[in-house]
Amino acid sequence: MDLPCVQWQDHVAHKWSGLDPELKETFLSLHEIDDVFKCALSLANQQDLDAIQLISAGLSVKKDAEEAAKCREKGNSIFKTRDYKAAALHYSQGICFAPQSSEQLSLCYANRSAALYHLQQYQECLYDIDRALNTGYPAHLSHKLQDRHNLCLSHLPMSVKTKNDQLYHVSNDDKCSKGLTVSSSEAFRFCICPQVSVGCSKEKGCHLVALQSITAGEVILSERPFSWVLIPGVEKVKGKRGQGQDIQSEIVFGTEHKRCHWCLAETLCAVPCKGCSFSRYCSASCQQEAWEEHHLWECPLGAELAAMGVMVQLALRVTLKAGIENIHRARQTIRDEQKKSDQYNPYMTVFHLMQHTEHQSISLRFMCALTVATVYLKLSKAGPLPTSWKLSDKGGDTEWSSELWVVGSAVLRHMLQLRCNAQAVVTLQATGSENSRVQSMEEIRVATAMFPTLSLLNHSCRPNTSLVFSTGTVDDPGGSQESVGFNQRLLGEGQQGRGVTVTVRAARDIRAGEEILHCYGPNSNRMGTEERQRLLQEQYYFLCECEACTDQEEEIRESSRNESGLLCTKCKGALKVFTDLGFTCSLLSCGHQILSSDVNHKLQEYTVALEKAVALMEKENPALHLLKKISSQSGLLLRDTHPLQGELADATARAYASLGDWKNAATHLEQSAVAISSQYGKDSFELGQQLFKLVQLHFNGSVNGARGPTLSVIPKVRQILSLHCGPHCPELQELNAMEECFQGSTF
């Protein structure tokens, strides 16, 4: 849960400790969300407003011409090193800082156009040239832009040249202008495939059930979130155990610099918000949609909202999108009435999600309540309400009134819901140098979202579904012929979808009558039963009794397998957990014991050395000597299936690939695949990605007779990626191209 910054949490804790005992008792006795919010609103005051303003002072998002100039100078320095992508990002940062009337705005646009030209993004370069000229670019320098304009046209097809001559003033809006035109209610209505229905019971609540059998790989659900918030920085989902802070401090540009804050598409050509230096978009159309839905409210709050955390921001966005009429309608209805309605309203599903208020700690409840109350006060001082938010037709007054406390109550409701119902939007991101011959991929969290239908899926530690997220412009989120009908209704015939989309596929064959389940995090492939149940109880407040947790055979398998992935340093037998303090050899004839502290020290030592080797590889140093040294040491303690051994083998494969030694690179990548298969499963998406890299390696080495190994791996990769991503994903298209290349070649 993305809570407010530590300083605000401390402020709230101090306020709670200073409350009169009677006020504390009053707050403790409240169970209804309305009453909790009203109480918090009565306690919130100017001191809280002053505190959040002071806390957020270091997170200023105001326009600043001097900062824009500094960003442009950094971009110029990096441009000279020919790192044009990084230069473009620095220029984009300058564009976001530059006031609309500042000369820096035109200078940054002009400089970014130069970087884009060198990146061969000629159309985007033309857009930036136009922007520079329209924002006051110095006349005595304009000949440079005209020369660059002519060079761009020389690289573009004639049809595009004609279009640019006729519509030279048009910005890059067309990248997103072909987006979804069907209403949001229709988009949500048709997101479930026909073989699935919504069921309800006292034990399971609302959930999804298969009406007919569903084949593995078939699309079950394709849905856009009701609301979402981009997460600043880079948050790694897997790997690097405990080293996140050190790595993050080295990152110059985070998610907020590289992605559109509306559709989450990656972009080097950010279109800035006109009011703040933080929000940016891939096009003016995305900028406008974000402004109308939520940013016109958020922009005045600026850094203060950022200091209050992602969860309150997402809760606020859900409420703002819903609007006052939907809020009142949701408060007056129940879920059963919603199902009878002819017009599906996704907000009704969101509003009635469980908050689990009775399970959440008093400190968390008070922090959420006071945070929302403070945001409510900030909004009430920021300006009048939109006309559409009037509570009645009497008069034209759109000022905040005492009746609008229901807005604050709705924000609090959604903030409390998000602990159990927020969904992390994850995507794969390449690590290492872009010039590397083999890219390593890692999963990062780019946003937190609220999906109305996805939230109905219950948990299983052994799920029967697989989730894939897409961002930006999506041609076919379903990607399956079996479900083409409902996906056409979802997107509109022949149209593209824009924004965030989740696609849920069957990870195995599902029988009629079987519940559709997905994993909330703890998975039986990676955790023991007790640990899974503990984590789920702490986060989601239920004791998991899924198939994996109640299967006695699974318990036997767990007890018999070597979950630690460690070797006895005395006899090379498997180590198993003995007590909280250490491990013991599984061979009775040995019985050697090792302290957990000693194991952790060794693991940390290997991790630091591996990160050093990877850092050297970033600087185009193969680092093979260091990697071999780490491997010889780690092999004394770690089995081949240990995750760290998998990471080490992957790094070694990249090192050999950088030298063009495809055979050794493939050998080590196969070793890495063994560890990934053990950790995630033999049909896991993670294994599919690793085997896809293996195919690329074999293909690169095919001139040396690796045609056979390439063709032998392709079927397994195709089976896994089709299962999780559908038959039209980019990786499968690349596999098809490799096969066609082999078919047209002779050896």
Side-chain angles (χ1 to χ4, degrees), residues 226-237:
F226 188 83
S227 292
W228 64 95
V229 173
L230 177 142
I231 299 173
V234 174
E235 180 169 341
K236 299 189 177 183
V237 178

Side-chain angles (χ1 to χ4, degrees), residues 45 49 56 81 141 151 161 163 179 206 230 257 305 343 371 375 441 443 479 494 528 565 568 575 579 602 614 697:
N45 52 36
L49 296 176
S56 62
T81 68
L141 298 175
L151 286 171
K161 293 180 186 179
K163 180 180 177 182
C206 284
L230 177 142
H257 304 111
L305 190 58
Q343 183 68 25
T371 300
V375 170
M441 307 295 289
E443 204 171 45
C568 175
L575 286 183
T579 66
K602 283 293 183 182
V614 170
L697 274 178

Side-chain angles (χ1 to χ4, degrees), residues 340-371:
K340 297 175 185 177
S341 173
D342 292 332
Q343 183 68 25
Y344 174 65
N345 186 336
Y347 182 66
M348 297 301 171
T349 300
V350 172
F351 186 87
H352 290 290
L353 292 172
M354 297 294 292
Q355 308 103 51
H356 296 288
T357 311
E358 70 280 7
H359 297 297
Q360 299 186 21
S361 66
I362 294 299
S363 59
L364 179 62
R365 267 193 284 165
F366 185 72
M367 183 184 64
C368 291
L370 188 68
T371 300

Side-chain angles (χ1 to χ4, degrees), residues 344-514:
Y344 174 65
N345 186 336
Y347 182 66
M348 297 301 171
T349 300
V350 172
F351 186 87
H352 290 290
L353 292 172
M354 297 294 292
Q355 308 103 51
H356 296 288
T357 311
E358 70 280 7
H359 297 297
Q360 299 186 21
S361 66
I362 294 299
S363 59
L364 179 62
R365 267 193 284 165
F366 185 72
M367 183 184 64
C368 291
L370 188 68
T371 300
V372 172
T374 305
V375 170
Y376 181 88
L377 291 179
K378 290 290 297 184
L379 283 173
S380 66
K381 295 176 182 293
L385 288 159
T387 305
S388 61
W389 275 57
K390 287 192 298 182
L391 293 176
S392 68
D393 295 329
K394 298 178 182 179
D397 183 24
T398 58
E399 295 297 323
W400 288 75
S401 69
S402 58
E403 295 175 87
L404 282 173
W405 63 265
V406 295
V407 175
S409 178
V411 177
L412 178 57
R413 168 185 286 268
H414 298 316
M415 188 174 183
L416 293 172
Q417 287 171 339
L418 290 171
R419 179 176 176 86
C420 295
N421 295 286
Q423 175 66 53
V425 177
V426 298
T427 186
L428 288 174
Q429 177 174 282
T431 61
S433 171
E434 291 186 359
N435 299 322
S436 174
R437 299 190 185 187
V438 178
Q439 286 287 328
S440 183
M441 307 295 289
E442 65 180 349
E443 204 171 45
I444 63 166
R445 189 162 69 114
V446 296
T448 298
M450 176 72 87
F451 291 90
T453 310
L454 181 63
S455 64
L456 300 181
L457 269 65
N458 285 324
H459 166 82
S460 172
C461 298
R462 193 188 296 157
N464 53 17
T465 60
S466 172
L467 275 62
V468 174
F469 297 92
S470 56
T471 59
T473 300
V474 185
D475 294 316
D476 177 16
S480 171
Q481 292 301 315
E482 295 86 352
S483 56
V484 67
F486 93 88
N487 276 305
Q488 285 177 345
R489 293 195 297 273
L490 171 68
L491 291 175
E493 194 75 37
Q495 297 189 34
Q496 292 177 318
R498 184 173 76 253
V500 185
T501 304
V502 63
T503 302
V504 181
R505 287 182 170 83
R508 57 171 175 78
D509 292 343
I510 298 175
R511 304 181 305 275
E514 191 174 349

